[in-house]
Each structure stands twice: as structure tokens, then as C-alpha cells.
Amino acid sequence: MAPTIGDRQFTDSSIITNFIINRGNGVKGLSEMGLKALPKPYIQPLEERLCISKIVPQQSIPIIDMSHWKNPQVASAVCDAAEKWGFFQIVNHDVPVEVLDNVKDATYRFFDLPADQKNKYSKENSASNNVRFGTSFSPEAEKSLEWKDYLSLFFVSEEEASMLWPPVCRREQVLDYIRRTEVVIKKLLQMLMEGLNVKEIDETKRSLLMGSIRTNLNYYPICPDPELTVGVGRHSDVSTLTILLQDEIGGLYVRGNQGDGDNWIHVPPIKGSLVINVGDALQILSNSRYKSVEHRVIANGTKNRISVPIFVNPKPTDIIGPLVEVLQNGEKPIYKQVLYSDYVKHFFRKAHDGKKTVEFAEI
Ligand SMILES: COc1cc(/C=C/C(=O)SCCNC(=O)CCNC(=O)[C@H](O)C(C)(C)COP(=O)(O)OP(=O)(O)OC[C@H]2O[C@@H](n3cnc4c(N)ncnc43)[C@H](O)[C@@H]2OP(=O)(O)O)ccc1O
Ligand SMILES: O=C(O)CCC(=O)C(=O)O
Ligand SMILES: [Fe+2]
């Protein structure tokens, strides 16, 4: 029998929408009802589920030791990974484990709030567009929902964060994570720009590369039938770089670069590491030298999972296109000049659809 809320059965999607989206219970609220079956709106079409035969267990994305980051071999490993994989993990990056643990605690604290408290930050109720609690990715546009809740925090200033971000997620600890990570971001961007023959990151380039920061706190609750759904569907990020902190549960998969490319590689959790990936904005700026690669998250049947990506982006008002340094040897531009906020709006307006977003910027 289908699970119920009150005397209503959980079969019809308007009840789901009301309970999960409008009343702020999220998919966490659904999970905590102890459902025995996955509600229909979460059942993904077969082609969007991750079939075990497509997982390549013997492969791994590069793991780069940042302790001697000034060593040219580190820069070469970073540029190589950005070209070939679009994804890598870094260890010995100088962001203390306590800072990482604190932001994980802050994430749990927020998602442990009662629904009505979290719902104060929903799209309809939030005091600002810069703070948003939501579920799935783009529920209005999706045919099947994704098994994830999130809190999205667009960083404008420390003052605004102190005023608007939920106090319970310990603003100072989230801000500390951003501050400490920024140092690593700058090092990585410097290496990646040198690899493109960009000698100096001036103010214009700084804005294009790291003009805005968005942090998401992601919560993937226990799922009654993980094989039928997804935590996050196939997508590439629209950032320049994403820095992702994941917990010890696992479940993130990256599209591999072998054969026809229909193979997926698990990103194993490594205590203290950060996962780095190239986003669409850097793919566009580098005229496809660096690749934003599709990734997805599977749901888990026995454990709750959290992750905390920091999306490092151009400023919304920046125009992005291939950098002049990349084209100076006569290379043909693959992308036109686009307003970054138009690009992001295009991404959010539709369901996850793999690498299709970048077509918006293609010539
Ligand atoms: C949620 O699950 C996700 C998320 C992701 C994210 C991956 C990334 O790479 S995020 C990095 C995106 N870049 C930036 O945020 C920096 C630049 N920012 C901007 O350009 C603007 O701030 C803006 C994001 C375009 C919003 O501008 P604004 O003028 O406020 O526009 P709106 O009309 O309010 O919003 C447009 C459209 O987007 C939806 N939206 C806005 N913010 C979010 C958000 N944080 N999460 C989800 N959706 C958002 C908003 O609802 C509007 O849609 P409508 O349908 O209502 O028109 C990767 C994977 C995931 O699973
Ligand atoms: O949770 C994860 O491991 C990845 C999440 C993700 O891809 C995203 O938020 O863009
Ligand atoms: Fe992502």
C-alpha cells in the first residue's frame, strides 16, 4: 500500500508538492516518514538511472598533493587533470580538517530544523534571492524529482551574510570555510591560467574567474529505493571551478573518458580532501581546453549523506567568452560572448540535462 499523510495516500503528485515543496518538509521529511516504497514522482526513467554495468571500478580521478604547490609538477598535474578529466581531488591543501568538520556540523544543524523554520528560506518566503532553501533541482521544470534538499547561499558580503543567512548554520563557520578555501582557489586558478598563457590575473580576469561565490549545503536523506531515483541527475556545473566537500558516505560519480564515454567513475571519499571540478564558465573561457565534465549523485538506501560545494563563478554582470590569450595563436572560438547571468538562468530554467547547457554559448 502507498504511504499516507493523514488519511491521504502518497500517490498523487499534488500532495507530494504540497508536503515537500510548499510546507518545507523537503525530501528529508518524506524520508523520515519511513516510506517502504519510492513515491512515483521520484521514479526516474530507466536511462537516467546509473546502471552498475557502466561503473568502472578500477579507474580513479587524479589525486593531487598540494603541499608543494609552487613546484611546477603540481601545476602540470592540475592543468592535465582539468584537460583530461575535468575533475580531481586535492589533499594537503591547507584548509584545516576542523574547518571542514565545522561546516558539515552547520549543514546538519540547518537540516535538523523543523520544516517551518527551514521554509522561512524557501523561494516564496526568503527575505532575499541570495538565500534559498529548496528541494530537487528545478521542480517546476522536472518530469521526475531528485532525492535531495539544499540550502543555497550566494555570498555578497560578510555583513549581508550575518543579517540574512540562517543563524543556526553558524554563519561564521560557513564563512570560515569560504575564506580558507579562497586561498586554495586562487592557487588553482593561477596554475590553470598559466597553462593558458595568461601571465597576470588582473581585476577583469579576477572578476571573470572568481567574481562571485555561491555555497550550497546539500542533504541527501535515506531513500527507500535508491536504484529507481537519483540524488542529483547528470549535469555539469555552471561555475568556473567547484570545490566540493563530501562526507564519508560516497555516491558521487563522474563521466569517464574511456571509449564511448558511457562509463562512470566513483569519487571515493578521502578524509580531509576536497574535490575540484571545472565548470562550464571555465570551459568557455578556455575555449574548451579545460573540460566541465558531467557528474551525478546516487541516492543511498541506508545512510543520510551531505555535501558542501562552493561554486566559484564570474560575476552575474560579466560577459564570458574565450579569453584573448587562448585565441592569439589563431585558434577559432567555439563560444560566443554571453552575459553570465543569462547563462545561469538558462541552467536553472530546465531540468538537469547533462552537457546540454553549454550549447547556449556555442557559436
Ligand atoms: C540546486 O541544485 C543544484 C545546483 C547546482 C548549481 C551549480 C552551480 O554551478 S551554481 C553557480 C551558479 N552561479 C551563480 O549563482 C553566480 C551568478 N549568479 C547569477 O547570475 C544570479 O544570481 C542568478 C543565479 C541568475 C539569479 O539571479 P536573479 O536575478 O536573482 O534571478 P531569478 O529570476 O531570481 O532566478 C532565475 C531563475 O533561477 C532560479 N534560481 C535562482 N537561484 C537559484 C538557486 N540557488 N538554486 C536553484 N534555482 C535558482 C530561479 O528560481 C529562477 O527560476 P524561475 O523558474 O523561478 O524563473 C548544481 C546541481 C544542483 O542539483
Ligand atoms: O553531492 C555531491 O557530491 C555533488 C553535488 C553536485 O554535483 C552539485 O551540487 O553541483
Ligand atoms: Fe555539480
Side-chain angles (χ1 to χ4, degrees):
M1 194 165 124
T4 59
I5 292 178
D7 59 354
R8 311 273 309 267
Q9 288 200 341
F10 241 162
T11 45
D12 106 50
S13 55
S14 64
I15 301 178
I16 294 264
T17 310
N18 191 41
F19 179 77
I20 294 164
I21 302 177
N22 302 344
R23 285 166 43 202
N25 289 288
V27 74
K28 180 171 185 279
L30 198 54
S31 167
E32 286 171 353
M33 292 174 70
L35 304 180
K36 294 279 179 291
L38 186 75
K40 215 166 156 199
Y42 288 92
I43 300 181
Q44 292 283 332
L46 253 178
E47 64 275 15
E48 291 306 333
R49 303 179 204 159
L50 182 53
C51 162
I52 195 156
S53 65
K54 295 197 169 151
I55 298 170
V56 193
Q58 62 278 23
Q59 277 204 324
S60 161
I61 58 166
I63 299 169
I64 300 176
D65 185 337
M66 292 283 285
S67 39
H68 303 289
W69 71 277
K70 286 193 171 151
N71 185 326
Q73 280 175 352
V74 176
S76 158
V78 165
C79 295
D80 228 48
E83 283 181 36
K84 296 201 179 97
W85 296 90
F87 260 87
F88 51 99
Q89 301 211 55
I90 54 171
V91 293
N92 299 322
H93 42 62
D94 245 11
V95 182
V97 168
E98 308 81 74
V99 172
L100 304 181
D101 285 344
N102 286 343
V103 81
K104 286 192 225 162
D105 289 347
T107 304
Y108 280 116
R109 252 193 306 279
F110 177 76
F111 286 99
D112 280 346
L113 287 173
D116 61 332
Q117 296 294 311
K118 285 183 284 203
N119 213 24
K120 286 186 185 162
Y121 303 99
S122 71
K123 180 173 160 183
E124 287 70 28
N125 302 328
S126 182
S128 158
N129 261 357
N130 296 336
V131 181
R132 169 188 299 223
F133 165 62
T135 190
S136 194
F137 172 62
S138 190
E140 297 84 1
E142 287 164 339
K143 289 206 183 90
S144 317
L145 296 173
E146 301 183 348
W147 196 260
K148 181 196 79 176
D149 297 330
Y150 67 89
L151 176 72
S152 187
L153 302 166
F154 187 66
F155 178 82
V156 171
S157 65
E158 303 224 347
E159 295 69 43
E160 193 199 86
S162 315
M163 273 180 349
L164 295 179
W165 292 11
V168 73
C169 74
R170 298 253 192 117
R171 289 177 292 244
E172 262 318 303
Q173 301 187 344
V174 179
L175 287 172
D176 211 22
Y177 171 52
I178 296 175
R179 273 185 222 117
R180 296 299 298 249
T181 307
E182 242 178 345
V183 181
V184 187
I185 294 165
K186 282 184 183 149
K187 290 177 187 167
L188 292 171
L189 286 172
Q190 199 177 316
M191 295 177 201
L192 289 164
M193 286 305 107
E194 270 169 29
L196 294 179
N197 222 9
V198 173
K199 300 285 178 239
E200 193 210 338
I201 301 185
D202 59 13
E203 197 34 52
T204 310
K205 293 244 168 39
R206 204 201 67 82
S207 177
L208 286 171
L209 295 169
M210 50 182 304
S212 75
I213 302 278
R214 178 182 294 282
T215 307
N216 281 7
L217 311 185
N218 292 329
Y219 191 94
Y220 306 89
I222 296 170
C223 176
D225 204 342
E227 279 163 24
L228 296 184
T229 192
V230 294
V232 179
R234 289 179 304 111
H235 70 287
S236 57
D237 294 342
V238 293
S239 52
T240 313
L241 280 184
T242 304
I243 288 71
L244 178 98
L245 169 65
Q246 62 167 337
D247 66 11
E248 70 291 354
I249 310 297
L252 169 63
Y253 288 82
V254 174
R255 193 187 275 284
N257 52 17
Q258 301 293 301
D260 63 358
D262 197 10
N263 49 81
W264 295 82
I265 299 164
H266 188 231
V267 180
I270 301 173
K271 178 82 184 155
S273 81
L274 291 166
V275 181
I276 309 293
N277 63 284
V278 172
D280 294 350
L282 185 54
Q283 174 166 317
I284 293 168
L285 292 165
S286 70
N287 205 33
S288 260
R289 253 291 276 293
Y290 301 135
K291 307 285 190 308
S292 70
V293 167
E294 268 176 274
H295 51 287
R296 47 162 67 166
V297 177
I298 58 158
N300 192 295
T302 54
K303 289 183 171 131
N304 300 312
R305 174 175 186 264
I306 57 166
S307 70
V308 188
I310 295 184
F311 302 104
V312 182
N313 317 293
K315 258 217 276 305
T317 49
D318 280 335
I319 307 277
I320 60 166
L323 295 169
V324 284
E325 290 84 346
V326 182
L327 301 180
Q328 71 195 3
N329 56 2
E331 193 174 306
K332 279 224 157 54
I334 302 172
Y335 305 102
K336 56 190 174 200
Q337 306 284 322
V338 294
L339 178 66
Y340 183 60
S341 66
D342 284 348
Y343 190 83
V344 180
K345 284 182 191 172
H346 173 70
F347 172 68
F348 283 138
R349 212 174 283 136
K350 55 187 177 48
H352 280 136
D353 59 358
K355 281 283 295 177
K356 284 224 180 85
T357 316
V358 81
E359 289 171 13
F360 183 78
E362 277 169 12
I363 287 180

